[in-house]
Amino acid sequence: MRSAFVRALTAPVIAVLTMVSLPATSGAATGPPARCEGLAELAIPADALGLPTSGGRVTETKTVPASGTGSGAIGEYCQVDAELFPVDPEAPNIEMRIALPAEWNGKAMMFGGGGYDGAIPSLTDNVPFGDAAEGVPLARGFAVFAGDSGHQLALNDWNYAGAFAMNDEALRNFAADALKKTRDAAMFLIAERYGTQPRRSYFAGASSGGREALAVAQRWPRDFDGVISAAPAWNAAALDLWFGHMTQILQRPGAFPSREKQQLIYDRVMQSCDGDDGVRDGVISDEAGCHFDPRVLRCPGGEDRGPTCLSDPQIKAVRDLSSPVEWGYKLASGERGYPGTPFLSGADLSTPGLGIGSRLPAHPLDLNPAASGRTRPLCDYPEWPRYNGHGDPDRAENFTCVRS
């Protein structure tokens, strides 16, 4: 059967894939499988992992019965939850999960995360652009695993999604280290369960997971036989600057619209523009032709009078969020600005991870490096840290904040 996996055993760079077909299920392991319950409370030794940790342990095991029919059928599997302990006691644990099928095909699949990670991806999903008719990896007998990249994020707490990066070990884990640690722990658990290592291992992810696929291929090319890297979130400097610009807009006094007001804006935009293509189907096909004026939602006197109207600061905020911005300097990519987010032409302000969240952005960070012995510089948006050319590059005081 054809396979669109990009081999990454020796290549430092891989292609982004748009269509995949997993190898056929065959060749189950011959070792006698251990009972699922026998993995409970199992210690994961630090020397089983290729990067420094304080080891780990299994926190929960359970047998999940077979479910579904046809191409959606998934056989019985053992679900194992585990945590890996950091070296720095102030850093969060890495939370991970692995699904070990009763009928194993001798192969393993690691899933990447998304956004700022912080949650374990579903192990019963398919690979990016995978053919649903062929079944998801777990249904086809793959041992499937994933982790949260070394921090935990509530789905309704996106405004604070990057707070973990204040800890150096947590930041390194998110950058890539947690991928190696999670993979090595999974190999340990697979060997405990089946008595042997997988004969083939793969990695699949999109967006941040696509970035992670590139990271494992480049840093640990012998850990996986192939990776799927779809829509990798790579070279996103302009987007990160836009996030800073959004934060400044939303921190203006009275500017942040509540969830109810966010829904009000979205509903009225859809009411205004959805039918422009001749059919009302909940999709604005001509986004560029939608020019909704939020002033039609203005509260009397421009003051905030509840969820059924917008104050003047909120009108200005949603306009600014929907407008392009110029940085005043050129990034290395050649970009000089960002086109804005189309909240006035169909984008939903409440979309998790892509909207504006449910509460004001976090309080401004203390930019004084001496305040916490910080090892990385923090610059007030839209400035960037530039190394002074001398001194320890792991000390914030050896950097200067600049605009270009």
Side-chain angles (χ1 to χ4, degrees):
M1 180 177 290
R2 86 182 151 80
S3 171
F5 280 110
V6 175
R7 296 295 169 182
L9 287 173
T10 58
V13 179
I14 66 170
V16 177
L17 304 183
T18 57
M19 296 186 65
V20 300
S21 178
L22 295 177
T25 300
S26 63
T30 58
R35 292 178 58 84
C36 184
E37 297 77 7
L39 300 176
E41 302 297 326
L42 179 68
I44 302 173
D47 60 9
L49 312 180
L51 291 175
T53 69
S54 297
R57 70 181 181 95
V58 172
T59 57
E60 183 179 358
T61 63
K62 66 177 181 180
T63 299
V64 180
S67 62
T69 59
S71 62
I74 297 177
E76 177 183 303
Y77 64 93
C78 173
Q79 178 176 298
V80 179
D81 291 352
E83 56 188 359
L84 307 178
F85 306 127
V87 175
D88 177 4
E90 298 299 318
N93 293 338
I94 298 171
E95 305 290 341
M96 61 172 292
R97 175 171 294 161
I98 183 168
L100 302 164
E103 296 185 12
W104 185 39
N105 67 3
K107 302 171 187 175
M109 173 70 71
M110 181 176 182
F111 283 157
Y116 285 108
D117 291 332
I120 300 174
S122 170
L123 303 185
T124 59
D125 285 350
N126 209 342
V127 298
F129 305 105
D131 187 346
E134 293 185 352
V136 301
L138 183 56
R140 303 184 63 197
F142 284 75
V144 183
F145 61 95
D148 64 4
S149 86
H151 63 276
Q152 294 73 51
L153 173 65
L155 292 179
N156 62 350
D157 205 21
W158 288 96
N159 292 35
Y160 298 81
F164 69 90
M166 296 303 295
N167 180 277
D168 285 358
E169 186 171 353
L171 180 59
R172 290 194 300 271
N173 278 335
F174 171 72
D177 284 5
L179 303 171
K180 172 65 173 173
K181 298 171 185 177
T182 302
R183 178 265 176 194
D184 289 353
M187 294 301 106
F188 173 81
L189 293 172
I190 288 173
E192 289 290 321
R193 167 68 164 149
Y194 299 115
T196 185
Q197 294 283 342
R199 57 186 178 82
R200 291 286 186 269
S201 295
Y202 305 99
F203 186 104
S207 190
S208 282
R211 173 190 67 81
E212 292 166 350
L214 297 179
V216 298
Q218 293 168 350
R219 294 186 58 181
W220 304 287
R222 297 190 179 278
D223 280 357
F224 295 95
D225 295 285
V227 305
I228 300 168
S229 174
W234 202 259
N235 291 335
L239 178 62
D240 290 336
L241 283 173
W242 171 250
F243 288 154
H245 183 66
M246 290 180 69
T247 300
Q248 284 195 331
I249 292 171
L250 295 171
Q251 283 183 331
R252 297 171 187 162
F256 191 88
S258 65
R259 283 286 195 186
E260 293 82 4
K261 290 174 183 279
Q262 294 173 33
Q263 188 64 47
L264 172 68
I265 295 167
Y266 178 73
D267 289 344
R268 291 296 296 273
V269 170
M270 294 301 294
Q271 180 181 339
S272 175
C273 300
D274 182 16
D276 290 353
D277 59 356
V279 59
R280 289 194 173 274
D281 55 0
V283 177
I284 297 177
S285 299
D286 183 15
E287 182 270 329
C290 180
H291 304 288
F292 179 76
D293 184 356
R295 284 187 62 82
V296 302
L297 299 175
R298 186 173 185 262
C299 298
E303 299 179 357
D304 194 338
R305 298 182 181 271
T308 60
C309 60
L310 301 179
S311 67
D312 285 344
Q314 291 162 351
I315 291 172
K316 178 171 174 52
V318 72
R319 277 179 167 168
D320 289 347
L321 291 171
S322 304
S323 302
V325 63
E326 294 290 327
W327 310 133
Y329 52 84
K330 183 172 67 174
L331 300 180
S333 62
E335 296 166 289
R336 293 181 178 272
Y338 195 80
T341 303
F343 293 131
L344 293 178
S345 53
D348 189 347
L349 287 94
S350 300
T351 302
L354 298 174
I356 64 173
S358 59
R359 54 181 173 150
L360 280 169
H363 296 295
L365 294 169
D366 185 349
L367 301 180
N368 178 11
S372 63
R374 192 168 292 130
T375 61
R376 284 181 172 79
L378 290 174
C379 296
D380 199 6
Y381 170 87
E383 295 181 337
W384 290 85
R386 175 179 290 170
Y387 180 52
N388 295 333
H390 54 80
D392 187 349
D394 286 330
R395 300 303 305 171
E397 59 265 27
N398 296 320
F399 290 77
T400 301
C401 294
V402 299
R403 283 182 174 264
S404 60

